[in-house]
Amino acid sequence: MRRKFLLQKSRQLIRENQELGIENSRHFRLEFEGNPTRMDVMELLYWYSEQMTYRLLSHSEEPFLAFRNCLQDIRELGFDNSLKRHFGISEKELFQSL
């Protein structure tokens, strides 16, 4: 099920990149053919984490201070509440924005 989701998401991202005229990085293949290797999965996870970080930081006027404070508050508030407090976005909204 996760593999199907990742394939659908990668196809969507490919279409969006093509519509925007963005070239794919030579370090990352957005779509897998056949069974993905461990390297494919690692590159995909890296790409998603990078995109989530960019999207998260775009929700604050002082992104690095907000990020630091968010990390410091995770233990006390939990991940979702810390995101809401410092960036005004929930965990679910962040994942859906990708």
Side-chain angles (χ1 to χ4, degrees), residues 22-98:
I22 298 171
E23 293 183 22
N24 294 336
S25 167
R26 63 185 169 91
H27 300 291
F28 181 73
R29 293 181 304 250
L30 287 172
E31 192 166 348
F32 302 121
E33 293 181 16
N35 293 326
T37 65
R38 285 182 153 197
M39 183 59 97
D40 291 330
V41 172
M42 185 177 72
E43 289 174 352
L44 181 64
L45 292 172
Y46 173 80
W47 186 86
Y48 272 102
S49 67
E50 181 180 48
Q51 292 302 306
M52 280 195 314
T53 303
Y54 288 141
R55 298 272 169 96
L56 181 65
L57 295 179
S58 72
H59 286 274
S60 175
E61 291 181 20
E62 295 184 33
F64 296 104
L65 290 176
F67 189 70
R68 181 199 67 195
N69 295 337
C70 181
L71 291 175
Q72 290 175 342
D73 287 345
I74 286 175
R75 179 174 282 171
E76 180 184 332
L77 301 174
F79 189 69
D80 199 46
N81 288 330
S82 186
L83 284 175
K84 287 178 187 175
R85 173 189 255 177
H86 298 287
F87 292 100
I89 188 170
S90 71
E91 178 183 0
K92 184 178 180 181
E93 292 167 330
L94 178 60
F95 285 113
Q96 289 175 345
S97 73
L98 297 177

Side-chain angles (χ1 to χ4, degrees), residues 3-19 24 28-34 44 47-48 98:
R3 183 168 183 257
K4 184 178 179 181
F5 168 77
L6 292 175
L7 288 172
Q8 288 173 342
K9 193 65 173 176
S10 71
R11 288 184 184 114
Q12 175 189 352
L13 292 169
I14 289 170
R15 278 192 308 277
E16 289 175 5
N17 284 349
Q18 289 170 343
E19 290 170 4
N24 294 336
F28 181 73
R29 293 181 304 250
L30 287 172
E31 192 166 348
F32 302 121
E33 293 181 16
L44 181 64
W47 186 86
Y48 272 102
L98 297 177

